[in-house]
Amino acid sequence: MWPKEEWRSLMKIKEGYAVRKFMDECMVLPVGHMADKKNMIIALSKTGAFIWEKLQQETTFDALLQATLDTFDVAEEIAKADLEEFIQKLRKEGLLCE
Amino acid sequence: MPIYKIADLNIALTPRSAFVQRAMAPYLTQEQAPDLEISVSDDDIAYEKQLSGVMHNGVCESTAIFRKLCHRVLFDFNGIFLHSAVIVSAGKAYAFVAPSGTGKTTHIRLWKKVFGEDVYILNGDKPLIREIDGKFIVFGNPWQGKENYGVNGQCELAGIYLLNRAEQNSISKPTSIRIFHALIHATVFPESADGRMRVMDFFERMLTRTKVLTLNCNMQDEAAYVAKRGMEEPYED
């Protein structure tokens, strides 16, 4: 579970990444000063692309969860688990400034 | 200044070494109006030496020319370099893409052995591909890899194989992510966002006219038959 005290802490995607569609997939790729990380390419799901877009501005776990629930037809528990997994992945890849 | 015709472009270039002069000689043209000019400096050669560890002046000059050419082709002449071995069969070009050492050359040799005069190697290592009038044309060029397989010719691209070594021969349909990874690792992926988008745009357009298959293959004759048949049959999902 996402620690309750972190629900309102701010996070944002670091600079130096571009998102674009390639065939039927949405991809994140490093550009400019991050461009040497050639292997670091992430494929985003539809929800992933939505969250990524939201994370271009500072936001919170709370706000992201709410936005997801407002936009997609998904149960809260599932949305929460998916969001958590996604944010952990971004963290692990060092893509978030928090 | 000598002019060379490569990838349907007139390139004004003065080779510095006998090595480059020899390699490029078959591409000399009498045409006068250059589309672009390429020159290589001492610094460019020093850079290639540092990057590759190869100390041969001619080889490094050749690499420096190719690097500049690829850049110009990408940004000004709607084309790309694809690290691959390209074979022509029944008037269509097929590119085999895989990291060095996977067995691209071994596999295209197999095609030559199995299909004989029906096929030829257009370029064994570094073909250039340009989009011309909506078609994707593969061009032979002087950069043909260590085996030096290739000819000064051109042919429309019809298919790409992403090659894996395997015990058994089989083909399958790769995912978009697999295709993307394979292709960007087979070209010069610029650092700028603009350059990266340009490469991806090019590949996307190219893929609308090109069939892509994963080819798992061993080194037996059957591998060539399985590969060829795979291209001829419709996709199985």
Side-chain angles (χ1 to χ4, degrees):
Chain A
M1 280 299 283
W2 198 259
K4 202 78 181 166
E5 61 274 19
E6 282 188 25
W7 277 41
R8 292 197 171 77
S9 59
L10 288 168
M11 54 190 157
K12 182 178 184 260
I13 294 285
K14 283 181 186 164
E15 308 253 316
Y17 295 90
V19 174
R20 67 158 285 161
K21 250 182 118 66
F22 183 78
M23 302 173 77
D24 51 347
E25 295 282 350
C26 206
M27 310 265 189
V28 172
L29 64 159
V31 292
H33 67 290
M34 303 302 274
D36 57 322
K37 293 179 140 192
K38 191 173 181 176
N39 287 310
M40 207 236 61
I41 285 151
I42 296 179
L44 296 175
S45 64
K46 203 172 152 200
T47 340
F50 173 80
I51 302 292
W52 182 277
E53 183 57 41
K54 294 277 171 208
L55 277 167
Q56 294 304 303
Q57 262 97 50
E58 278 202 320
T59 185
T60 63
F61 186 86
D62 213 5
L64 288 173
L65 180 59
Q66 201 49 56
T68 308
L69 293 173
D70 291 345
T71 312
F72 299 96
D73 184 19
V74 60
E76 183 166 349
E77 283 313 304
I78 293 169
K80 205 186 281 178
D82 286 353
L83 182 59
E84 222 176 296
E85 192 188 326
F86 185 66
I87 301 234
Q88 293 296 11
K89 189 180 174 191
L90 297 180
R91 263 189 178 163
K92 204 170 130 238
E93 297 285 354
L95 293 170
L96 283 184
C97 27
E98 297 177 80
Chain B
M1 192 183 290
I3 295 181
Y4 298 91
K5 196 175 203 69
I6 296 170
D8 204 31
L9 296 169
N10 288 340
I11 303 164
L13 167 82
T14 306
R16 298 167 51 134
S17 63
F19 176 85
V20 168
Q21 194 172 19
R22 220 169 24 242
M24 301 207 30
Y27 293 81
L28 269 170
T29 172
Q30 295 309 310
E31 289 178 35
Q32 289 303 310
D35 296 300
L36 69 155
E37 189 179 330
I38 291 177
S39 65
V40 165
S41 67
D42 289 342
D43 284 352
D44 294 328
I45 293 175
Y47 172 79
E48 297 300 342
K49 282 184 179 171
Q50 199 197 349
L51 206 66
S52 64
V54 174
M55 285 300 129
H56 189 289
N57 275 321
V59 170
C60 289
E61 181 194 353
S62 167
T63 315
I65 294 168
F66 191 64
R67 190 182 301 282
K68 290 190 178 208
L69 176 60
C70 291
H71 189 272
R72 288 299 305 275
V73 165
L74 174 65
F75 283 93
D76 300 317
F77 300 103
N78 201 13
I80 214 159
F81 141 64
L82 191 69
H83 181 215
S84 58
V86 176
I87 205 147
V88 174
S89 168
K92 289 285 156 74
Y94 300 92
F96 295 86
V97 174
S100 300
T102 307
K104 292 189 290 287
T105 306
T106 308
H107 186 77
I108 58 169
R109 270 201 213 115
L110 218 50
W111 276 58
K112 277 301 295 173
K113 180 185 161 202
V114 171
F115 304 116
E117 294 303 307
D118 292 345
V119 300
Y120 68 89
I121 299 167
L122 180 52
N123 185 288
D125 196 48
K126 292 185 173 64
L128 290 160
I129 304 174
R130 288 181 64 209
E131 183 184 10
I132 298 171
D133 299 329
K135 289 182 177 170
F136 290 80
I137 312 292
V138 187
F139 290 93
N141 65 55
W143 294 272
Q144 301 185 147
K146 57 179 182 293
E147 290 83 5
N148 206 26
Y149 289 153
V151 293
N152 180 359
Q154 64 181 71
C155 184
E156 187 179 359
L157 181 69
I160 296 175
Y161 295 92
L162 310 181
L163 206 76
N164 296 319
R165 250 192 236 171
E167 297 284 317
Q168 301 288 323
N169 296 307
S170 68
I171 51 151
S172 58
K173 189 180 173 180
T175 62
S176 307
I177 297 170
R178 168 85 176 95
I179 295 172
F180 178 72
H181 268 278
L183 293 182
I184 63 162
H185 284 91
T187 190
V188 179
F189 204 37
E191 296 201 344
S192 67
D194 168 52
R196 293 199 156 185
M197 295 305 144
R198 200 176 274 271
V199 170
M200 290 171 78
D201 287 340
F202 186 90
F203 280 145
E204 258 192 334
R205 291 194 306 276
M206 189 175 88
L207 291 168
T208 62
R209 301 187 66 101
T210 311
K211 184 170 174 176
V212 187
L213 291 177
T214 298
L215 170 64
N216 304 301
C217 63
N218 58 32
M219 288 183 279
Q220 287 151 16
D221 292 0
E222 188 205 43
Y225 290 110
V226 168
K228 192 161 182 281
R229 208 179 314 125
M231 268 302 161
E232 289 158 2
E233 286 169 0
Y235 270 137
E236 279 176 48
D237 280 311

